[in-house]
Amino acid sequence: RRQLVSSSKDGLVKVWDLETQSCVQTLVGHKGEVTAMHVSKDQSRLVTACMDNLLRLWIIPGTEAAAETTATEATPSVNSTDIRLLGAVPRQNSERVTTLRYDPSGSLLGCQTNDKMIQFFRVHTAEEVQKKLRRKKKRQREKLATKEEVTDGESGNAVDQPTEAESSELDASNEVSYLYTLRCGGKARSLAFGSARGTFAEKKFTFQVVVALSNNSIELHEVKYDKEGIESSRVSAVELPGHRSDIRSLAISADDTLLASTSNTSLKIWNARTGACIRSLESG
């Protein structure tokens, strides 16, 4: 069925049936206004952000990826058609989230906040998640065996340990993990993922992201991940010489060759014939 998801300042996320034009589900648990959300390309995940420092990950039923998750869960949802909470992943700051965006490959999640920072999270594949869960189960069994040996040798009183089902239960931290924070040249207003090369499994992954800034400029950044670590660089930028705020006044020279324009931050001198900016003076 065709559905629409909406969020609002009341902290609720609502799911709408487009055929009946009615609300079929309300997602609760957010602390304050829901400021951003996005659906993954395969439509198996919904990620939301509110006024706290957590990203909440939700399972959307009806896809193969969602079915695999349900099979992994220790306590599956009663109603398999409902969107349900998988868990929460902490962000690196508490600034207001303005944009959430999955990349086209589904390997990355971008989180843009109301400052110069963009945080990136790695989205693990189903195989990587299963591998994590198997390692977790193995560690839990080893810990339980060690505890049992100690208690048998001393008092004989068993220590409560998580069950195997509990230890293997899937949560958001198994699927999404923090990767990197990119610092831009100004406050970020929007972002879009560009091309990507390689895979995380090969420990050689490169992706590009385009960021529009509040100062009317656009930056293209490239992030490289390999065995040595992760680093980013600004590949190029579109920085027009125009004013970064409203123009307040204009004046032209007596011979019509020069034009002066002012804003609340700068004074610019222009060649009236070619349109080129000759000089910029900061003002305030």
Side-chain angles (χ1 to χ4, degrees):
R1 58 181 179 176
R2 298 171 60 211
Q3 292 183 329
L4 174 72
V5 182
S6 64
S7 63
S8 64
K9 288 186 176 182
D10 58 9
L12 301 178
V13 174
K14 290 186 176 290
V15 184
W16 304 83
D17 189 313
L18 294 181
E19 293 182 3
T20 62
Q21 298 186 7
S22 60
C23 178
V24 295
Q25 188 182 357
T26 300
L27 308 181
V28 299
H30 298 95
K31 296 182 178 180
E33 176 186 356
V34 180
T35 60
M37 64 179 182
H38 198 238
V39 176
S40 61
K41 185 178 180 180
D42 62 2
Q43 297 188 348
S44 67
R45 295 293 184 268
L46 167 70
V47 60
T48 59
C50 60
M51 302 306 291
D52 58 17
N53 68 333
L54 298 175
L55 298 180
R56 289 167 173 79
L57 200 64
W58 306 79
I59 302 172
I60 303 176
T63 62
E64 183 178 346
E68 291 177 358
T69 303
T70 302
T72 308
E73 288 181 308
T75 55
S77 175
V78 175
N79 189 350
S80 60
T81 62
D82 283 348
I83 295 176
R84 57 193 184 279
L85 180 66
L86 178 59
V89 178
R91 298 189 286 115
Q92 301 300 302
N93 62 19
S94 56
E95 290 289 331
R96 177 189 178 97
V97 178
T98 56
T99 304
L100 289 171
R101 189 81 69 233
Y102 280 98
D103 82 314
S105 69
S107 302
L108 295 166
L109 173 64
C111 175
Q112 170 196 318
T113 52
N114 192 31
D115 55 10
K116 297 181 179 181
M117 307 298 184
I118 297 178
Q119 297 170 42
F120 295 100
F121 295 81
R122 177 181 172 183
V123 180
H124 298 274
T125 63
E127 292 78 10
E128 291 172 335
V129 171
Q130 292 299 324
K131 189 175 181 180
K132 274 188 173 185
L133 292 177
R134 286 195 295 269
R135 287 201 303 265
K136 189 175 181 181
K137 287 170 63 177
K138 183 179 180 181
R139 287 196 301 268
Q140 201 69 50
R141 286 195 300 266
E142 292 173 350
K143 185 183 295 185
L144 180 59
T146 303
K147 288 289 184 180
E148 286 177 346
E149 289 177 2
V150 172
T151 54
D152 288 343
E154 296 178 355
S155 64
N157 296 323
V159 178
D160 291 337
Q161 294 291 331
T163 65
E164 187 172 307
E166 290 173 339
S167 66
S168 61
E169 188 173 358
L170 179 65
D171 58 32
S173 62
N174 296 127
E175 189 168 302
V176 177
S177 60
Y178 170 73
L179 180 66
Y180 185 70
T181 297
L182 173 69
R183 184 180 180 86
C184 304
K187 274 193 174 183
R189 286 292 177 257
S190 64
L191 70 92
F193 283 99
S195 61
R197 303 185 303 274
T199 63
F200 281 110
E202 299 171 349
K203 293 190 179 299
K204 191 174 183 181
F205 186 73
T206 301
F207 67 93
Q208 293 184 333
V209 60
V210 182
V211 186
L213 306 180
S214 60
N215 60 6
N216 292 342
S217 63
I218 299 174
E219 295 181 345
L220 173 63
H221 293 265
E222 185 172 80
V223 182
K224 294 182 178 181
Y225 168 85
D226 55 28
K227 295 179 181 179
E228 302 297 324
I230 186 168
E231 61 180 5
S232 65
S233 60
R234 195 179 81 164
V235 178
S236 60
V238 177
E239 297 174 313
L240 298 178
H243 290 280
R244 298 298 188 247
S245 57
D246 295 341
I247 296 175
R248 301 295 176 83
S249 63
L250 296 171
I252 194 165
S253 63
D255 57 1
D256 295 337
T257 59
L258 298 177
L259 175 69
S261 61
T262 62
S263 67
N264 64 338
T265 59
S266 63
L267 164 67
K268 291 182 178 289
I269 309 298
W270 306 81
N271 184 314
R273 182 167 300 177
T274 64
C277 182
I278 299 174
R279 189 171 182 184
S280 296
L281 302 173
E282 296 297 325
S283 65

